[in-house]
Amino acid sequence: MMWSTPMLQATPGDPLAGGNPRQVPGVCWSRCDATAMPNAEMRLWNDELAASLGGLQSNPSIWVGGHLIEGMEPYAHRYGGHQFGNWAHQLGDGRALSLGHVKTPSGLTEVQLKGAGRTPYSRSGDGRAVLRSSLREYLCSEAMYYLGVPTSRALSLCTTGEDVRRDMFYDGRPAMEPGAIVTRTAPSFVRFGSFQMLAADGDVDALHTLMEHVVTTHEPDHHVNDDAGVVAWLTDVAKRSAEMVCGWMRHGFVHGVMNTDNMSIHGLTIDYGPFGWVEAHDPSWTPNTTDLPGRRYCYAAQPDVVGWNLARLLEAMAFTMNDPELLHAVMEVYREAYRSARQQAWIERLGLDEWNEEDELLVRDLQQFMYDSKVDHVPLLRHLGEGVTTSEALHDAGIIYAAEPDHVSIDSWIEQWLERTSGAPNLAVMQRTVPVFTPRNWVLQLAIDDAEQGDWNKAEELAERLMRPFERLDEDEGAWWSGPRPNWALSRPGCSMLSCSS
Ligand code: AMP
Ligand code: MG
């Protein structure tokens, strides 16, 4: 197994290793050691990912940073970001620690621990992560992978054997919680905010260096030595970001904290925190309590927010260009890429042959119905894809949460839809593209409740189940994770509302 740290070789770094939180202008990273966790235990290990990374060993001391393999050199990324629309200046990996990259047939993969202790970017934080958020990240990122949504992946989850103090609702009632560390992977964990930070430093040389490093290491087909090359690369960034957010929208995923520091330059879903899945359809739904006042990151806002974040990235990259005006075209590409990805998603989800102008009305009427009747939209589409086409049967399925659903009927919409598809919607495509299983918050919470008591069975079952999200399985019948959202989930913390306190 060959480990390397290409970023440390190619980009400017902090002359000091470790140490107290501080400002480190003009650099991309700081070397830093993990905090010793002698009581770590391996709880979840991703055999399939470990094999694809060349046969990694599941020794827990490696995956809490206590035992370094030759070639590993732990470091924290430095980046900044716009948080809820405001420039927050230097943030950086306050509790993430990269061990290095492994070489795979499809390129280099960065391997990062989340929760391994304080770094120069921890500010007032403790550098730790709690079990509940670690389990959520592990299971959800893997679920997204199998759903086909671009994402970081999860290699392992270790408990640390140490408790962490968290004020879960920021209401002055902190409690001790079990700590954990997830090991996650991506080509790199470079973010939009990594570039923004160097632009904010006014360090154009460093900005150039980081761009060249990312492109030569991960996208060798691109060459960013002139304006045209930079625009071509950013065009790909825009397209990938559009693909990613379209994946979120199609499966009802709400990230919850789409700050520019949480936007991967590779167009991957990263930094799973207070995310959620829309249940009773509501475009303005957000899972994040911190987001409630403005709903900046609510379900329906996500495509525009990615566009906004992309614009901030382009502003930073403008410093590398002779003619920054050329970057306007990239925004246009983003809008067009999202528009066509969305159309394709609806073609598949409604079993259409192609997209017609009038289909926009069909979609709008369906969304209106789903909103009025508080319908869980993914299972609704799946039921339609299974040939369930009467209002009565859909009500019986329990996926319509309105107290009095009878006042809105889906019959007339179904009639329109069947007319549009000449009575033969492409059910096979619908079944291939609308999942049976997504890891809803209440399901994750049940696994967390048990894991906190030392029982990992539910977590392991979910880690298995999520690998075949589009398959209706016999084991699902009556399984604890199947069926509509139970009523208790409406008021249970972690199910109906989440904070960033993780
Ligand atoms: P996140 O909400 O996880 O994307 O984190 C936003 C910023 O806060 C990043 O710079 C994190 O590294 C930092 N951060 C979050 N939690 C902690 C923590 N427990 N200790 C130190 N830094 C943290
Ligand atoms: Mg983050």
Side-chain angles (χ1 to χ4, degrees), residues 79 83 90-96 114 117-119 121-129 164 166 184 191 255 257 259 261-262 270-274 500-502:
Y79 50 81
Q83 298 188 314
Q90 181 182 294
L91 297 164
D93 286 336
R95 56 166 167 184
K114 186 168 173 181
R118 283 166 66 77
T119 78
Y121 307 103
S122 293
R123 294 173 289 155
S124 58
D126 59 7
R128 308 285 181 121
V164 176
R166 284 289 179 275
R184 57 187 187 174
R191 297 135 193 276
H255 182 285
V257 206
N259 295 333
D261 49 298
N262 290 339
I270 56 167
D271 282 18
Y272 290 81
C500 291
S501 154
S502 56

Side-chain angles (χ1 to χ4, degrees), residues 433-445:
T433 56
V434 182
V436 176
F437 180 83
T438 53
R440 300 299 176 88
N441 283 351
W442 65 270
V443 172
L444 294 175
Q445 190 58 46

Side-chain angles (χ1 to χ4, degrees), residues 217-263:
T217 312
H218 301 287
E219 298 178 68
D221 293 343
H222 279 288
H223 299 282
V224 286
N225 36 17
D226 58 14
D227 278 7
V230 175
V231 170
W233 170 59
L234 290 170
T235 297
D236 272 359
V237 173
K239 287 180 183 164
R240 290 192 296 246
S241 304
E243 262 326 301
M244 171 193 77
V245 71
C246 185
W248 299 358
M249 300 305 284
R250 108 178 1 234
H251 300 309
F253 175 81
V254 188
H255 182 285
V257 206
M258 298 171 67
N259 295 333
T260 55
D261 49 298
N262 290 339
M263 296 288 299

Side-chain angles (χ1 to χ4, degrees), residues 408-425:
V408 206
S409 162
I410 193 176
D411 287 333
S412 63
W413 184 87
I414 290 176
E415 223 167 273
Q416 277 180 62
W417 172 57
L418 289 175
E419 201 172 301
R420 163 68 180 86
T421 52
S422 313

Side-chain angles (χ1 to χ4, degrees), residues 34 363 460 478:
V363 168
E460 283 164 9

